[in-house]
Amino acid sequence: MENIMSLSIVICTRNSASTIKDCLDSLMPAYRSSLIREIIIVDAQSTDATCRIAGDYPVRIYFEPGKGVYFGYQYALGMASGEYVLFLDSDAYLDNTSLTSVLNTFTDPEVGLVGVYSFSPDKSRLGRCAGQWWDYHRMRLLAHSSSSLFGRLYHRVVGFGAVYTSGPCFIASRQCLEATGGFAPELYLYYLHPKLAYPGDIMLSKRAVKAGYKAVWANCGRVGHYPPANALELWRQRVNWGRGDAAYLKICRTGFTKRATCVLSRLGSPFMAFYLAFRYRNPVHLWYLPLAQLAWLGGYFNFRLKR
């Protein structure tokens, strides 16, 4: 793939001292081979050793006033020079991922976004549970998004009707980013409702598909990503997601049917939890997924009832 070698990495950080070293270490082989042109870090006022640790690596560090990850992404796009941009969470790392193979996906000129599947390196009971859910999500839901009724319903709920890529690592072509406005629409949402966790990756996928691009998943490589460490962190994360999704659906003036589908589908999580507990012989699933969806519902209605 001689003509696709211009890759910029963008990482947004905030108090990421415990994970940023593993994240950057995983990029160094590709950086030393010149596949990665530059690594850009946008820090949101970290108060720990994040910037000091990152400063030991060949990176450029910029600062933003804590307005959210998508503000950082949009800011970094103005600094990045690569033809392709990889967005990577600061608590994630590439695991034997061949970036050359992933970038080969862009040999199809219609592809604008490529997602990289994630796995959980956390071997605790909760970490294994999250990893099993991600594996099922990858093998059964995303792989059959258009061929099965359940897969289409899942995309309608989680992707708001669009085939999407999301998660801690995805790559976009600069042409696609320019055609969709990058993450500028997410900045508009921030100014309307600050501090909410918007589904910006899914929203970008939806705009990309609408603009005529494909949003696909890479069949090679995975990215390690640490899930919430305990039930309280899981609850807080999903409450924030629920509030962000509610704000997005309201701003888009989504019809009652789609909003009702997003809500009612979460009520079926105990059935999915029972299936996952049986499939993986892991009883933690019996409460993990229902708790996550209950928290999402709490965040969703918290936003709706206050407005």
Side-chain angles (χ1 to χ4, degrees):
M1 192 186 59
E2 297 81 0
N3 62 328
I4 302 181
M5 297 295 290
S6 179
L7 177 66
S8 297
I9 308 293
V10 173
I11 304 168
C12 289
T13 59
R14 180 175 173 81
N15 294 335
S16 307
S18 63
T19 58
I20 191 63
K21 185 179 187 302
D22 288 343
C23 177
L24 293 174
D25 281 343
S26 71
L27 300 174
M28 289 302 101
Y31 180 83
R32 287 192 289 267
S33 69
S34 298
L35 177 59
I36 294 175
R37 169 180 289 186
E38 59 193 353
I39 302 173
I40 298 172
I41 291 179
V42 182
D43 185 74
Q45 301 178 332
S46 291
T47 57
D48 62 6
T50 298
C51 294
R52 180 179 60 79
I53 295 170
D56 293 333
Y57 292 83
V59 303
R60 303 205 316 266
I61 302 177
Y62 300 93
F63 300 93
E64 60 95 1
K67 292 186 176 181
V69 63
Y70 298 113
F71 184 95
Y73 282 170
Q74 187 68 12
Y75 182 82
L77 287 179
M79 309 295 175
S81 59
E83 184 181 2
Y84 298 87
V85 184
L86 184 151
F87 301 94
L88 182 64
D89 283 6
S90 62
D91 59 350
Y93 62 90
L94 300 184
D95 178 69
N96 298 323
T97 296
S98 171
L99 286 179
T100 301
S101 299
V102 174
L103 288 171
N104 266 324
T105 310
F106 287 102
T107 55
D108 179 349
E110 294 184 356
V111 172
L113 286 170
V114 176
V116 181
Y117 292 122
S118 57
F119 73 96
S120 170
D122 184 355
K123 302 305 180 184
S124 67
R125 292 175 62 194
L126 208 61
R128 289 198 304 271
C129 185
Q132 289 163 357
W133 165 242
W134 293 346
D135 283 342
Y136 181 79
H137 177 266
R138 170 178 60 87
M139 293 185 298
R140 294 294 180 182
L141 299 180
L142 296 178
H144 302 284
S145 60
S146 59
S147 60
S148 72
L149 176 62
F150 186 68
R152 291 194 297 272
L153 176 63
Y154 183 80
H155 271 78
R156 181 174 180 82
V157 172
V158 178
F160 309 112
V163 176
Y164 69 94
T165 60
S166 66
C169 179
F170 58 97
I171 308 175
S173 70
R174 182 166 291 278
Q175 287 183 339
C176 177
L177 291 168
E178 291 174 351
T180 57
F183 296 97
E186 283 69 52
L187 304 189
Y188 170 73
L189 291 176
Y190 170 83
Y191 288 118
L192 287 178
H193 304 291
K195 305 301 182 183
L196 295 187
Y198 296 106
D201 42 9
I202 296 176
M203 293 159 63
L204 177 63
S205 295
K206 189 171 183 177
R207 293 196 301 273
V209 172
K210 188 175 180 179
Y213 290 93
K214 294 178 183 177
V216 302
W217 292 89
N219 293 319
C220 51
R222 295 190 302 169
V223 58
H225 188 225
Y226 287 93
N230 52 58
L232 181 58
E233 287 188 14
L234 174 67
W235 179 271
R236 288 172 175 169
Q237 179 195 68
R238 297 309 174 96
V239 165
N240 208 16
W241 287 6
R243 295 182 70 231
D245 287 355
Y248 171 65
L249 291 172
K250 179 183 178 182
I251 291 168
C252 292
R253 295 177 179 167
T254 305
F256 173 79
T257 301
K258 184 174 290 188
R259 286 187 282 111
T261 301
C262 287
V263 171
L264 293 176
S265 63
R266 262 82 183 180
L267 300 179
S269 60
F271 299 101
M272 176 60 75
F274 181 81
Y275 172 77
L276 293 173
F278 176 79
R279 177 185 177 89
Y280 292 103
R281 304 295 191 269
N282 185 351
V284 178
H285 285 288
L286 294 174
W287 63 264
Y288 182 89
L289 186 59
L291 177 69
Q293 301 298 358
L294 179 63
W296 186 94
L297 289 169
Y300 178 89
F301 286 110
N302 173 266
F303 179 89
R304 294 290 302 183
L305 295 176
K306 285 185 176 181
R307 292 164 173 82

